[in-house]
Amino acid sequence: MKKVIKNTKKGILMVAMLAASLSFANEGTPFFTIKNESERTSLTLALVKEGNLLSIKDYNGMILYKEVIQKTGTYTKGFDLTALPNGKYIFELDSDIEIKTIPFTVETNTVVFEKDMEKSIFKPVTRVKGNIVFVSQLTLNNKPLKIDIYFEGSNNSELVLTETIKDTKCIERIYKLTGLKNGNYTMVFNTEGREFIKHINN
């Protein structure tokens, strides 16, 4: 079953594939191990890739530490987390298609990891072929995905399409950017408090 939405004035054609399936990763597969020692916490991450970004953030999202992974494989490093003020924090691993977070709490020099609160956010994945854009995303908790598409003309930016996709674990959309020869497009994705931007140039 498919639905076609045309908007010739705005120069865009959307084909929404409603019966699609994606295969990204195995849900529930552990990717980290923690070993707490007297003054150091050893973090081991499995299946990391060169270029992944590891960071420590506080409850407000402020980055306290960041490191670009230099080698594909298994990553292990010790951190003195007891030096942090009392509060809630997260380890965050940002890869090509997924953001994984590991929350932990520091209380009176004691570090407690909340492994049951580990979370994965799959990024929207875009693939461009000519003036056709394929968008796919896996959302294990049926979280909504809001998509805004802007046409970037020579003098201004105009919103040409907006939609919010709900109540599905597997999202697939196909957009035909019929005005691509006259300018560029910007796609803005919002899900689970995160924003992702894709620029499509002619």
Side-chain angles (χ1 to χ4, degrees), residues 11-15 131-133 174-179 185:
I12 187 169
L13 171 68
M14 181 185 74
V15 181
N131 64 352
I132 303 295
V133 180
I174 301 174
Y175 301 97
K176 185 175 183 181
L177 307 179
T178 58
Y185 286 86

Side-chain angles (χ1 to χ4, degrees), residues 29-34 43-57 63 65-77 79 89-104 113 117-123 194 196:
T29 303
F31 77 100
F32 72 95
T33 56
I34 297 292
L43 173 68
T44 299
L45 302 174
L47 303 176
V48 298
K49 292 184 178 180
E50 180 183 353
N52 290 173
L53 178 64
L54 177 67
S55 58
I56 299 175
K57 296 182 178 181
I63 298 174
Y65 171 86
K66 65 179 179 180
E67 174 186 356
V68 177
I69 302 297
Q70 299 297 318
K71 185 178 179 181
T72 297
T74 301
Y75 168 94
T76 300
K77 189 168 186 175
F79 296 87
Y89 303 88
I90 62 168
F91 273 104
E92 180 177 285
L93 181 66
D94 191 336
S95 63
D96 291 338
I97 64 170
E98 185 180 6
I99 298 173
K100 297 180 179 180
T101 58
I102 311 167
F104 65 94
F113 280 83
M117 298 298 290
E118 172 199 338
K119 182 179 180 181
S120 291
I121 300 174
F122 288 92
K123 300 177 181 180
R194 307 274 182 151
F196 307 97

